[in-house]
Amino acid sequence: MQPPGEADGRHTPTKFEDPEIDDVTLHECALGRQAESAVLFSFYPLLPANSTRHPEIKELPKEQMAEKVDRKTVEQFYHAQPVSASVERLAAFVPDDRDVDLLKIDVEGAEADVLLGVDDEQWPRIRRIVVEVVDLNERLATVCEVLRGAGFDVDARRAPMTEEENRYYMVHGVRR
């Protein structure tokens, strides 16, 4: 993930530059339950996949890391740069002309917001879904509830290669 640019209120599609892949368009925006502009995110240059709108969910991993390395190292890895980005609803990207065979969501604390950005009439076109969830503040139960309400059979299991105290789960949903 690269830090998003300054938001101009709309996402900007960009053609993916790779000669082996010719049908991918990148949209420089975040996802959420509603469209917003100039939303503040925490970008971690040394851990870009951990960048988030919800930096409070990084407190547990920071404490766990501090048990293994010195505090200065932890602060270096989790030194956030504020960035601003537009937020769009996932509904804007669900195709009207075909089903979505697999939707994968890994959004560092915004899982329920992203799911709530799907329109009710779009859910039947999504056949399978996988969501990574950190179970803080009932996030796991909320995600499972949204998916069940959208017509999925749901299976939530601790994420592979994680410790129980990390609270990382993979939620799999299959259309009933």
Side-chain angles (χ1 to χ4, degrees):
M1 173 179 161
Q2 294 182 1
E6 289 300 311
D8 63 0
R10 298 297 308 156
H11 64 278
T12 306
T14 305
K15 193 67 179 161
F16 189 70
E17 299 295 330
D18 185 322
E20 300 293 319
I21 302 171
D22 62 359
D23 192 23
V24 174
T25 302
L26 303 177
H27 298 270
E28 293 186 21
C29 66
L31 297 175
R33 76 174 67 202
Q34 64 188 27
E36 301 175 77
S37 61
V39 176
L40 191 61
F41 286 78
S42 294
F43 172 67
Y44 303 105
L46 296 179
L47 296 170
N50 283 302
S51 300
T52 181
R53 185 177 184 173
H54 303 281
E56 69 278 4
I57 73 165
K58 298 304 171 184
E59 292 305 314
L60 178 62
K62 283 170 63 174
E63 292 304 317
Q64 292 169 333
M65 187 179 196
E67 293 172 5
K68 296 175 175 39
V69 300
D70 62 275
R71 179 58 69 178
K72 183 178 178 184
T73 301
V74 174
E75 294 308 321
Q76 286 174 331
F77 273 89
Y78 281 97
H79 176 73
Q81 295 178 2
V83 295
S84 179
S86 63
V87 175
E88 296 294 331
R89 297 180 70 237
L90 183 55
F93 303 99
V94 175
D96 292 328
D97 60 344
R98 65 185 185 278
D99 287 350
V100 175
D101 291 323
L102 175 64
L103 174 62
K104 168 67 167 78
I105 298 175
D106 181 356
V107 291
E108 303 302 314
E111 299 82 12
D113 275 350
V114 170
L115 293 171
L116 293 170
V118 176
D119 292 334
D120 290 342
E121 63 273 7
Q122 293 174 317
W123 279 115
R125 292 199 311 273
I126 300 171
R127 301 177 62 178
R128 289 177 205 86
I129 189 164
V130 177
V131 185
E132 181 190 82
V133 180
V134 178
D135 190 22
L136 299 173
N137 302 322
E138 302 297 318
R139 282 183 165 93
L140 179 61
T142 301
V143 166
C144 291
E145 180 180 319
V146 169
L147 292 177
R148 285 186 187 105
F152 290 90
D153 289 325
V154 176
D155 179 39
R157 298 181 188 193
R158 196 174 81 228
M161 299 184 290
T162 63
E163 302 293 327
E164 187 172 344
E165 63 270 11
N166 292 345
R167 302 183 191 161
Y168 282 92
Y169 289 83
M170 297 305 295
V171 179
H172 297 257
V174 178
R175 171 84 31 223
R176 290 185 206 132

